[in-house]
Amino acid sequence: MEFINEARSLVKENIRDYGMYIALFVIMLTFSIMTDGLFMSSRNISNLLDSTGYIAVLAVGMTLVIVIRHIDLSVGFAAGFLGAITAILLTKMGMPIYATIPIILVLGIFIGLFNGLLIARYAIPSFVATLAGMLIFRGALLQVTEATGTIIIKDDGFNAIGNGFIPSIMVVNGLHLLSLILGLLSILFYVYSEISTRQNKIKYQFDVVSKGIFTFKLVFVSAIIAYVTWILAGYNGFSWTVVIMLLVVVVYHFLTTKTVLGRHIYAVGSNPEAAHLSGINVNKITYIVFGSMGMLAALSGILFTSRLQSATTTAGTLFELDAIAAAYVGGVSSAGGVGKVTGAIIGAIVMASLSSGMNLLGVGVSMQYMIRGGVLVAAVLFDVITRKKRG
């Protein structure tokens, strides 16, 4: 009984963090029942995660942008434009993939830094500065693709990024061994990280949950990781897109939770004036966050272009809105200062799960847009209500 009461109290106090996980569980359970288990099939889950990758990467960067009280509307067509440049370098200039990808990522960083310069140094509102960028990159994308319309990429190594899977080494009872090993390593890393965090909190006399709740959390999350690993290992294993997405999450989760830079980002988002008075260089943080956003836009463009195996004139359309929606559904606060990169990934998977489930049920595109819009409104409304209660 004490365990149940503590769990109920914990969920109530941390509803912002747990709400998205509950929502994802309910969505997946509902669609699984309505599609007679087809939704949770190995093929569908694999396709769902692969189609989420390029938006999830953008959502991670967008979360940090929103955390510092800004917005970036340019990332969609910036991703599309950089994807087209990638295709040109690979096909028309014959550059190797190992040289092309770093060049595109660096270009993305410069694009982000330019946005940061307009916002931090010249005090142009981020909405206006990045809206201008969206229009510029939309025109630039049309400019570089107008001759052929579509640039086909025949580089198998590059196309494998968006369509390939990690080697299986060997297959055991129909399951890919290397994917199982990666899943096990992910569980071990998660358990180690959680235990280390708990010990540090105890060391500095912070409040922690009881051992019972902590153990339940470890077992529950580990079981989810194991189940998803088992599903994917039964198909083709982990795709390179999923591996890249997980690496982005791990790196950004570490940066935002374990480093001084991460603390400064959230300090700026919570109160820019107070952060400035405490010695934090607010402009520098703005440059870093927008530079990071530009790099992730470039990575998103690479993932999308690789998945299509071509660059098109419409690449990047609505990417920024999908990323913003994923960030808000993932728990980022419209007031700034609150939001996790792990939440952004969950938000992206929630939105992708809605689309996938509705497609399986044969729901019309018009209704899908309305339902996704309703989910976004509900997420922001939930944020406003929880902030008022805390206030």
Side-chain angles (χ1 to χ4, degrees):
M1 191 65 180
E2 183 179 344
F3 175 86
I4 295 174
N5 289 335
E6 184 182 359
R8 186 180 299 152
S9 175
L10 187 66
V11 171
K12 187 176 181 180
E13 291 175 4
N14 299 275
I15 189 65
R16 178 193 291 276
D17 293 333
Y18 297 148
M20 64 193 120
Y21 295 97
I22 295 171
L24 179 60
F25 177 77
V26 170
I27 288 169
M28 288 190 160
L29 180 63
T30 301
F31 282 133
S32 294
I33 294 171
M34 295 178 72
T35 60
D36 295 324
L38 181 60
F39 179 83
M40 290 301 293
S41 66
S42 297
R43 180 186 293 272
N44 189 61
I45 292 299
S46 180
N47 289 336
L48 187 154
L49 292 176
D50 286 348
S51 63
T52 306
Y54 62 93
I55 295 299
V57 166
L58 280 180
V60 168
M62 190 65 71
T63 293
L64 297 186
V65 170
I66 296 174
V67 161
I68 63 169
R69 304 188 181 189
H70 290 296
I71 200 72
D72 192 340
L73 299 177
S74 69
V75 295
F77 284 120
F81 170 70
L82 291 170
I85 297 299
T86 302
I88 290 171
L89 293 179
L90 289 170
T91 59
K92 297 183 178 180
M93 300 186 67
M95 290 188 65
I97 183 175
Y98 58 82
T100 299
I101 290 178
I103 289 172
I104 296 301
L105 294 177
V106 171
L107 280 176
I109 292 172
F110 279 115
I111 287 171
L113 288 175
F114 181 72
N115 283 336
L117 178 70
L118 295 177
I119 294 161
R121 184 169 181 178
Y122 296 105
I124 298 175
S126 59
F127 183 92
V128 177
T130 59
L131 177 60
M134 180 178 77
L135 297 173
I136 290 170
F137 291 120
R138 173 61 172 148
L141 173 60
L142 293 174
Q143 182 71 29
V144 298
T145 58
E146 68 177 355
T148 58
T150 299
I151 304 173
I152 305 296
I153 301 173
K154 297 182 179 180
D155 188 311
D156 293 337
F158 178 78
N159 292 336
I161 296 174
N163 300 281
F165 298 84
I166 64 173
S168 61
I169 298 180
M170 62 182 294
V171 178
V172 181
N173 293 327
L175 301 174
H176 289 247
L177 180 60
L178 184 56
S179 294
L180 293 176
I181 293 172
L182 283 179
L184 177 60
L185 291 176
S186 298
I187 292 172
L188 293 176
F189 175 79
Y190 167 73
V191 171
Y192 170 78
S193 177
E194 288 295 313
I195 291 175
S196 176
T197 301
R198 179 182 170 84
Q199 288 176 341
N200 284 333
K201 286 183 176 180
I202 293 173
K203 179 181 178 181
Y204 294 105
Q205 299 181 344
F206 287 109
D207 291 334
V208 294
V209 297
S210 66
K211 286 186 177 179
I213 291 291
F214 180 70
T215 303
F216 175 78
K217 179 185 175 183
L218 289 182
V219 172
F220 182 73
V221 174
S222 297
I224 292 175
I225 296 173
Y227 181 61
V228 172
T229 299
W230 177 72
I231 288 177
L232 295 178
Y235 181 52
N236 283 323
F238 283 100
S239 67
W240 287 114
T241 297
V242 171
V243 171
I244 292 170
M245 184 170 64
L246 292 176
L247 284 175
V248 169
V249 174
V250 169
V251 170
Y252 275 80
H253 178 68
F254 175 80
L255 287 174
T256 53
T257 60
K258 305 292 184 182
T259 66
V260 174
L261 173 62
R263 289 193 289 272
H264 285 182
I265 289 172
Y266 284 96
V268 169
S270 297
N271 192 323
E273 291 77 15
H276 176 70
L277 292 173
S278 66
I280 297 174
N281 189 331
V282 177
N283 285 352
K284 179 182 176 181
I285 295 299
T286 304
Y287 293 143
I288 291 173
V289 170
F290 275 91
S292 163
M293 182 75 261
M295 182 188 70
L296 291 176
L299 180 58
S300 175
I302 290 169
L303 289 173
F304 184 74
T305 305
S306 173
R307 183 166 176 77
L308 290 186
Q309 301 183 28
S310 62
T312 67
T313 56
T314 58
T317 305
L318 298 181
F319 282 16
E320 68 285 342
L321 300 186
D322 286 337
I324 292 168
Y328 276 115
V329 171
V332 72
S333 173
S334 54
V338 175
K340 296 180 179 179
V341 296
T342 49
I345 296 296
I346 299 299
I349 294 175
V350 165
M351 300 302 282
S353 296
L354 282 172
S355 296
S356 176
M358 289 188 290
N359 283 332
L360 290 175
L361 292 173
V363 177
V365 175
S366 58
M367 186 59 68
Q368 287 191 33
Y369 276 116
M370 288 188 278
I371 291 173
R372 291 170 65 191
V375 169
L376 178 57
V377 170
V380 177
L381 185 62
F382 179 75
D383 166 53
V384 172
I385 291 172
T386 52
R387 274 194 290 117
K388 284 184 177 180
K389 286 184 177 180
R390 288 174 182 264

